[in-house]
């Protein structure tokens, strides 16, 4: 796999958000397409402008556009990562299902999770 593609009303705006969040450089840029990826060249994210984009609803409801996928991003410091995401234009979801995860919405409305690994060994 080379990338996951995310539809957005404006590919460039959403790519800038995730570049700020992840610190990844641009790999390719076209008028309605942007690819970002980690410097090591592994799989990245692509953003495609979709003129008929509809924001997903999460938690899902039968009558709204449902979330098709979401990104899970592991972080070292959850409060700091949430603060950074909010500063870049994310919004915090009202429903938060777990203490070690924060669900946010990117500027286009896609839900994504920031999470921190909890040591299950008790150490």
């Amino acid at each position: 796999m080379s990338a996951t593609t995310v539809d957005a009303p404006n590919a460039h705006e959403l790519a800038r958000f995730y570049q700020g969040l992840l610190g990844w450089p641009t790999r390719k840029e076209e008028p309605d397409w942007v690819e970002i990826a980690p410097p090591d060249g592994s799989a990245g994210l692509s953003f495609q402008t979709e003129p008929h984009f509809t924001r997903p609803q999460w938690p899902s409801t039968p009558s709204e556009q449902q979330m098709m996928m979401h990104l899970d991003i592991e972080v070292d410091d959850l409060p700091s990562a949430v603060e950074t995401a909010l500063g870049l234009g994310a919004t915090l979801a009202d429903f938060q299902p777990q203490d070690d995860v924060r669900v946010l919405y990117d500027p286009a409305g896609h839900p994504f999770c920031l999470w921190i690994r909890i040591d299950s060994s008790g150490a």
Side-chain angles (χ1 to χ4, degrees), residues 7-115:
D7 289 349
N10 184 308
H12 294 271
E13 289 177 10
L14 194 56
R16 278 191 295 275
F17 169 79
Y18 281 102
Q19 280 183 299
L21 188 65
L22 300 170
W24 293 352
T26 300
R27 180 164 48 192
K28 184 176 182 180
E29 191 167 3
E30 297 176 358
D32 291 320
W33 180 270
V34 180
E35 295 175 20
I36 66 171
D40 68 6
S42 59
L45 292 172
S46 298
F47 302 91
Q48 172 178 283
T49 297
E50 171 51 61
H52 303 290
F53 177 79
T54 300
R55 293 172 73 98
Q57 176 68 36
W58 184 87
S60 63
T61 62
S63 62
E64 300 288 333
Q65 172 64 43
Q66 294 183 11
M67 171 184 68
M68 303 294 276
M69 62 88 173
H70 71 275
L71 302 174
D72 287 336
I73 302 167
E74 183 179 3
V75 298
D76 295 326
D77 179 338
L78 191 55
S80 177
V82 169
E83 184 177 324
T84 297
L86 293 173
L88 290 167
T91 55
L92 193 62
D94 290 334
F95 177 63
Q96 297 296 323
Q98 299 163 262
D99 291 338
D100 57 342
V101 176
R102 288 296 167 270
V103 180
L104 296 100
Y105 302 106
D106 69 24
H110 302 99
F112 68 97
C113 295
L114 299 176
W115 67 280

